[in-house]
Amino acid sequence: MTDEMDDYENIDALIEAFQQFSRLNWRRNSISSLKPSELRMLVSIRQGNERAGRKGQTVSDLSKQLKVTSPTVTQMVNSLISQGYAIRTTDAQDRRISEITLTDRGERLAELVTVRTHETFKGMIDYLGKEPSDTLRQLLNGVYEYFEQLNNRQDEF
């Protein structure tokens, strides 16, 4: 019976640990009026361009990279375009393909977000120490894999 009680206490403590993150005020340190998902999109466009050696990314590329649906990407991209952070261009060889590129304003913000993110995580590593940070990374990857498997199993039903 005590093992079962310990399990429930561990479960409750783990749930509480995860819920703490949802209660954090992530926007307090925001560097723009964009939503966190839009900032991730800006950085993803920039990183995708650097990796692929191209000027722009397709909606399909971004959808795969961010692991979200194409309609979700399109909605965020449209928002970034309307706010002057990105533009949509048509491929010269294949007019059916459109690429998303950052404006100078979008490029500057993506660079600032990247620098701030690296500073934040460097600070966390300095705070926790290298070994605990490595352990945390491994644990978080394991948690992600667990939930991916759980989602895949639920998709089977």
Side-chain angles (χ1 to χ4, degrees):
M1 185 72 170
T2 52
D3 285 343
E4 194 172 314
M5 293 289 282
D6 287 344
D7 285 347
Y8 283 118
E9 287 176 17
N10 286 338
I11 291 168
D12 290 343
L14 194 54
I15 291 169
E16 177 61 26
F18 271 86
Q19 287 176 340
Q20 290 179 96
F21 288 97
S22 66
R23 290 191 299 262
L24 278 176
N25 187 357
W26 296 99
R27 287 172 103 33
R28 189 177 66 209
N29 294 325
S30 183
I31 55 179
S32 79
S33 61
L34 294 180
K35 298 173 190 169
S37 59
E38 293 171 329
L39 292 172
R40 278 192 302 278
M41 180 64 68
L42 275 179
V43 172
S44 293
I45 294 168
R46 185 170 184 263
Q47 288 174 338
N49 292 347
E50 289 173 355
R51 275 196 302 271
R54 298 188 335 224
K55 187 177 179 193
Q57 295 291 297
T58 66
V59 167
S60 177
D61 294 335
L62 293 166
S63 177
K64 289 175 192 164
Q65 187 177 344
L66 292 169
K67 298 180 180 170
V68 296
T69 65
S70 291
T72 300
V73 170
T74 299
Q75 184 179 8
M76 283 190 276
V77 164
N78 288 341
S79 176
L80 293 173
I81 290 170
S82 71
Q83 295 179 70
Y85 291 105
I87 57 173
R88 182 181 284 117
T89 56
T90 304
D91 186 278
Q93 271 87 31
D94 189 344
R95 311 263 319 144
R96 296 171 296 172
I97 299 173
S98 64
E99 292 186 327
I100 313 305
T101 58
L102 298 180
T103 62
D104 289 341
R105 180 179 184 205
E107 192 66 49
R108 285 191 306 273
L109 184 55
E111 172 65 18
L112 182 58
V113 169
T114 300
V115 167
R116 284 263 182 98
T117 301
H118 285 166
E119 288 172 353
T120 299
F121 278 85
K122 183 185 180 321
M124 184 184 71
I125 291 167
D126 291 346
Y127 179 81
L128 294 175
K130 181 165 179 1
E131 273 189 50
S133 296
D134 288 343
T135 301
L136 176 61
R137 177 185 45 80
Q138 292 167 355
L139 289 169
L140 289 173
N141 284 333
V143 169
Y144 177 81
E145 288 172 21
Y146 168 75
F147 282 112
E148 274 290 294
Q149 289 175 10
L150 190 62
N151 285 341
N152 290 337
R153 273 188 254 138
Q154 289 176 351
D155 290 344
E156 294 172 1
F157 296 108

